[in-house]
Amino acid sequence: MIIEKGAIKRLPQIMKDRYSQYKKIAMLCDDNTYLAAGKTVEELLPGIITIRLDSKNLHADEHGVEAAEKQLKEYKNIDFMIAVGSGTIHDITRYHAYEKKIPFLSVPTAASVDGFVSTVAAMTWHGFKKSFTAVAPCFVLADSEIFSKAPLRLTASGVGDLLGKYTALCDWKIAHIITGEYICDKVVDMEYEVLKDLCANLDGIGSQNIEAYENLMYGLLLSGIAMQMIGNSRPASGAEHHMSHLWEMAAISEPIDYYHGEKVGVGLCLATEVYKKAEAYIRKGTYHVKDHMDVQVDFIKQNITKPALQEEILKENTPNLMENITGTQIKEKEAEILEILAQLPSAEDIKTMMKKVNGLTTMKELELDESIKGLTLKLSPYVRQRLTFMRLLKFYDFYDEITKG
């Protein structure tokens, strides 16, 4: 990885020194990212094949994949790809690179997501959020003169995605103490260092300081490497992402056209608010826990009315993730759960951080009706087969109180 001013100028030398065996190179970009960096790549690598997608309504879904495939199949024997763009372009590129069994190089045009070096392509596939096995880039060339000029909204999306690690790590640690799920302390510490640096640089990002932007990009890339190290998105995705996925699937709302990190940032604000309320209730010590918790099949069927989506979500929850968890186990771990929750910033602090970069913090800002807040909190844990504290809260007798709209 290279993160520096003018990094893109090093592209010809990198291709010559490291990847000279590849003869037919295709660059994937969209109309906006072509202007931001794609045109420069064409000038630096004469003869490169340009796959330029229409940026209007472009998403990491079956339509985006198909649009790229239509152009790619016009050329035979492509053996190397370059992704020039942000999250969507990278997911479409890594999907095709994996299918073609070829490497790709990353040129991020915005510090907008932590998925640049991910090994999975996060797609909304026929309406359902799925992670496809894909390939990470072999090299990242992040030019801060390019990505610092991206619209601030894209940068705020990256901040939201990165701050989401607060609840993701909280979920991972609690799942570990309850079930013994594998956790890596080195990866956890690395993610917390990323968060510490991000918080120290938020003012700089807000004032468009280029070094602060470089720090944000470094944190986003490190978060992606954390996922590579674990082999899945556990270090970077928890309850906050599950809410984002639920909205992206338009399961209980109309489709919304907002960036991934914007939705994650709002999910983070909601999750933090609930977790802090739960902490207060647990500290009182007057709560009760159910002994067992089944998947709420009737609740899912009642609220997910699209048959195909309903089927996928029920399949995702088979077997029951909490089958072998008892209320007694949860009660016994009370002190450790409280210790983890205490490390979580308050919802107010999270919102203050987000506002330093003009980030979104409420459902209203996503054009989502506040009336579905309670349903979002209760349904979102079911979109992934992953244990979060948001799902474990279903055991507690104060659950309805802290998840109401």
Side-chain angles (χ1 to χ4, degrees):
M1 304 187 311
I2 296 175
I3 308 168
E4 65 184 17
K5 284 184 185 180
I8 199 165
K9 292 170 190 166
R10 298 172 68 163
L11 181 59
Q13 197 63 46
I14 287 165
M15 293 304 298
K16 184 183 173 186
D17 292 346
R18 291 170 174 262
Y19 309 114
S20 58
Q21 70 270 38
Y22 302 108
K23 305 301 177 191
K24 205 155 187 184
I25 304 164
M27 169 179 67
L28 194 68
C29 59
D30 65 29
D31 294 333
N32 296 327
T33 63
Y34 176 80
L35 296 174
K39 196 169 186 301
T40 304
V41 171
E42 279 182 337
E43 291 163 3
L44 292 168
L45 299 177
I48 193 171
I49 296 161
T50 299
I51 307 297
R52 183 170 166 178
L53 304 178
D54 184 351
S55 53
K56 192 178 179 184
N57 293 321
L58 181 63
H59 300 286
D61 57 17
E62 69 274 16
H63 306 298
V65 166
E66 188 183 355
E69 176 60 24
K70 253 183 202 174
Q71 293 189 53
L72 284 166
K73 69 182 181 185
E74 292 176 22
Y75 305 93
K76 288 182 179 175
N77 305 319
I78 289 171
D79 55 5
F80 193 92
M81 293 179 78
I82 298 178
V84 177
S86 54
T88 296
I89 287 293
H90 275 73
D91 278 331
I92 294 171
T93 304
R94 83 177 76 254
Y95 180 94
H96 283 296
Y98 178 77
E99 290 295 310
K100 294 177 182 298
K101 297 180 171 57
I102 61 174
F104 84 98
L105 179 143
S106 158
V107 179
T109 55
S112 56
V113 289
D114 69 352
F116 292 117
V117 296
S118 173
T119 52
V120 296
M123 300 272 187
T124 304
W125 207 256
H126 298 290
F128 190 73
K129 195 73 184 179
K130 283 191 171 184
S131 292
F132 288 89
T133 302
V135 63
C138 54
F139 204 101
V140 179
L141 203 50
D143 190 327
S144 48
E145 286 182 319
I146 293 170
F147 66 77
S148 66
K149 290 174 185 166
L152 183 57
R153 192 182 150 201
L154 276 165
T155 305
S157 171
V159 170
D161 203 9
L162 207 47
L163 285 176
K165 307 321 158 213
Y166 273 120
T167 41
L169 293 171
C170 176
D171 285 333
W172 194 14
K173 291 194 290 184
I174 290 175
H176 167 69
I177 64 165
I178 297 294
T179 68
E181 177 187 335
Y182 172 76
I183 196 166
C184 174
D185 291 336
K186 283 188 180 180
V187 167
V188 170
D189 290 345
M190 185 171 87
E191 289 277 44
Y192 277 126
E193 277 300 310
V194 163
L195 285 168
K196 183 180 168 187
D197 286 348
L198 172 63
C199 293
N201 279 280
L202 284 173
D203 289 325
I205 295 167
S207 60
Q208 298 186 299
N209 174 283
I210 203 157
E211 287 181 4
Y213 269 81
E214 288 175 349
N215 177 270
L216 171 61
M217 179 61 80
Y218 183 60
L220 290 166
L221 293 171
L222 275 186
S223 184
I225 287 170
M227 289 187 266
Q228 281 196 34
M229 290 165 75
I230 297 302
N232 56 54
S233 62
R234 184 46 134 162
S237 173
E240 73 301 322
H241 272 73
H242 297 165
M243 287 184 239
S244 171
H245 295 339
L246 188 74
W247 299 326
E248 283 163 1
M249 294 188 294
I252 57 171
S253 61
E254 292 301 310
I256 54 170
D257 194 17
Y258 284 83
Y259 296 128
H260 170 72
E262 290 179 319
K263 289 171 279 193
V264 170
V266 174
L268 167 66
C269 292
L270 293 178
T272 306
E273 185 183 358
V274 170
Y275 285 11
K276 285 299 187 182
K277 284 179 183 175
E279 181 189 356
Y281 269 99
I282 295 169
R283 287 195 187 282
K284 285 180 193 171
T286 54
Y287 67 91
H288 295 284
V289 288
K290 295 172 185 173
D291 191 54
H292 183 74
M293 179 53 64
D294 291 317
V295 173
Q296 297 166 302
V297 174
D298 290 340
F299 176 67
I300 292 170
K301 286 181 176 178
Q302 183 187 338
N303 291 289
I304 307 289
T305 53
K306 296 174 187 171
L309 195 53
Q310 184 188 104
E311 187 184 338
E312 284 289 340
I313 287 178
L314 289 172
K315 198 188 296 179
E316 188 73 16
N317 287 278
T318 308
N320 176 13
L321 197 58
M322 300 198 290
E323 179 66 37
N324 299 315
I325 299 173
T326 66
T328 305
Q329 274 178 280
I330 294 171
K331 190 79 176 164
E332 283 172 353
K333 300 292 183 180
E334 180 186 273
E336 289 169 81
I337 290 171
L338 285 173
E339 193 179 327
I340 293 165
L341 292 173
Q343 293 168 5
L344 197 61
S346 69
E348 291 71 28
D349 286 344
I350 293 288
K351 287 175 184 175
T352 300
M353 293 177 205
M354 292 292 296
K355 287 305 175 189
K356 285 187 176 184
V357 293
N358 294 328
L360 307 187
T361 60
T362 66
M363 291 175 67
K364 189 178 179 182
E365 289 171 316
L366 290 175
E367 296 179 78
L368 286 167
D369 197 312
E370 290 277 351
S371 66
I372 63 164
K373 178 183 171 184
L375 196 52
T376 292
L377 296 170
K378 290 179 177 182
L379 263 181
S380 56
Y382 290 123
V383 303
R384 284 293 305 274
Q385 180 79 337
R386 174 169 289 167
L387 189 63
T388 61
F389 189 53
M390 192 67 77
R391 189 181 282 225
L392 282 169
L393 282 171
K394 292 177 185 288
F395 273 94
Y396 293 87
D397 64 351
F398 53 74
Y399 176 70
D400 286 332
E401 183 61 29
I402 64 171
T403 55
K404 64 186 179 185

